[in-house]
Amino acid sequence: MYFYGSARKSLLQTLETIHHQGFRLSSGAFRTSSVQSLYIISKEPAFELRRHKLALKYYFKIKSNNEHPMYDKILQPAFGTFYADKKSYIASFGHRMRSVLQTFNTQNVDIVPKLDELLPRRDFDIRIIDEFYKLLKSSTSDNVYWQLFYNHKQQHNSAFTDGSETANHVGSAVVFNNFTVTEELHEYYTVFTAEIYAILLALNVTGTSQDKKKMDYLYRF
């Protein structure tokens, strides 16, 4: 829709007429109802504001990526003097956006540069045992999991975390070598929240524990 900004006002008015007619039909408003009341009844922004919104999103998307092929053309548009002298000519997207940015006072907004990928964390020494990931739940007996669980529990200072969800219950649990921590969560929480909260429980208990030995492994079921 932001491409419509390069159209003549007469053509945009034709689209706005169709736009307003759709509001009248969907809301059941009278034919004599003002356009402003149609926007309020339908809880929709004006056609022009929608164009500006989409144009701003596209503009800042380009601004966040200096490798975008249109980066220089949009942020530093050419032929400014030409469009200033030729008022009848429709300016390019970069020039049109300058007035939009000024209208919404967003010309000085700083954009965080786009990163292609997350930088790896190198300040933590994390060791991983992937024996559990090699065993699919659909084809592995529970006895195998229990055997691996007790084996690692005896060999390492570890914590096992898990989150579960039923029809009316959500809970998180952490199993340490000598004790277990459980907590019931609100029934509206998802199982993903329960999984994350179980890890948080493990970290909180480890940080406040009297045993200052470093935890070797953190497992998630």
Side-chain angles (χ1 to χ4, degrees):
M1 183 180 288
Y2 53 83
F3 290 113
Y4 295 161
S6 60
R8 297 289 180 183
K9 289 186 177 180
S10 58
L11 296 177
L12 292 177
Q13 289 176 354
T14 302
L15 292 176
E16 288 181 355
T17 301
I18 300 175
H19 191 60
H20 298 157
Q21 183 64 19
F23 283 159
R24 295 184 191 279
L25 293 175
S26 60
S27 63
F30 294 106
R31 295 182 60 185
T32 55
S33 300
S34 64
V35 174
Q36 289 77 11
S37 63
L38 289 177
Y39 290 138
I40 295 175
I41 294 173
S42 304
K43 297 181 180 180
E44 290 288 341
F47 204 52
E48 183 180 15
L49 291 178
R50 292 187 64 187
R51 292 198 304 271
H52 289 336
K53 176 184 177 181
L54 293 175
L56 286 170
K57 291 177 64 176
Y58 182 64
Y59 174 84
F60 284 117
K61 180 180 179 180
I62 295 175
K63 189 176 180 180
S64 65
N65 184 8
N66 57 10
E67 296 182 358
H68 195 284
M70 296 297 294
Y71 183 85
D72 293 329
K73 294 180 175 60
I74 297 299
L75 271 65
Q76 298 177 355
F79 307 111
T81 304
F82 172 79
Y83 290 118
D85 296 336
K86 302 290 185 179
K87 300 295 184 180
S88 60
Y89 285 76
I90 298 177
S92 62
F93 180 76
H95 287 292
R96 297 200 308 271
M97 285 308 301
R98 290 186 173 182
S99 60
V100 176
L101 293 170
Q102 186 175 3
T103 301
F104 294 97
N105 194 25
T106 54
Q107 61 268 35
N108 296 322
V109 175
D110 294 329
I111 303 298
V112 178
K114 179 182 177 181
L115 299 178
D116 294 335
E117 59 183 359
L118 296 177
L119 298 178
R121 298 296 298 269
R122 302 182 182 276
D123 51 347
F124 292 103
D125 181 18
I126 301 178
R127 291 175 291 171
I128 300 175
I129 294 179
D130 61 353
E131 293 185 14
F132 291 103
Y133 295 98
K134 296 178 181 178
L135 303 174
L136 300 178
K137 289 186 177 181
S138 59
S139 58
T140 304
S141 171
D142 292 341
N143 294 330
V144 176
Y145 285 122
W146 282 111
Q147 183 178 359
L148 287 174
F149 172 77
Y150 285 116
N151 181 45
H152 288 297
K153 186 177 179 182
Q154 293 176 359
Q155 294 183 17
H156 307 288
N157 184 26
S158 309
F160 295 81
T161 66
D162 192 20
S164 62
E165 176 188 17
T166 60
N168 54 1
H169 175 80
V170 180
S172 301
V174 186
V175 179
F176 293 93
N177 286 8
N178 301 320
F179 63 97
T180 301
V181 178
T182 62
E183 187 163 336
E184 182 178 357
L185 305 180
H186 197 281
E187 61 180 348
Y188 290 146
Y189 284 1
T190 65
V191 67
F192 303 104
T193 303
E195 296 277 5
I196 296 298
Y197 190 75
I199 297 176
L200 179 62
L201 279 177
L203 296 175
N204 288 338
V205 172
T206 304
T208 58
S209 176
Q210 298 296 326
D211 185 4
K212 301 301 181 182
K213 293 182 180 180
K214 182 179 179 182
M215 188 180 359
D216 294 328
Y217 298 99
L218 179 64
Y219 298 98
R220 184 185 67 82
F221 278 169

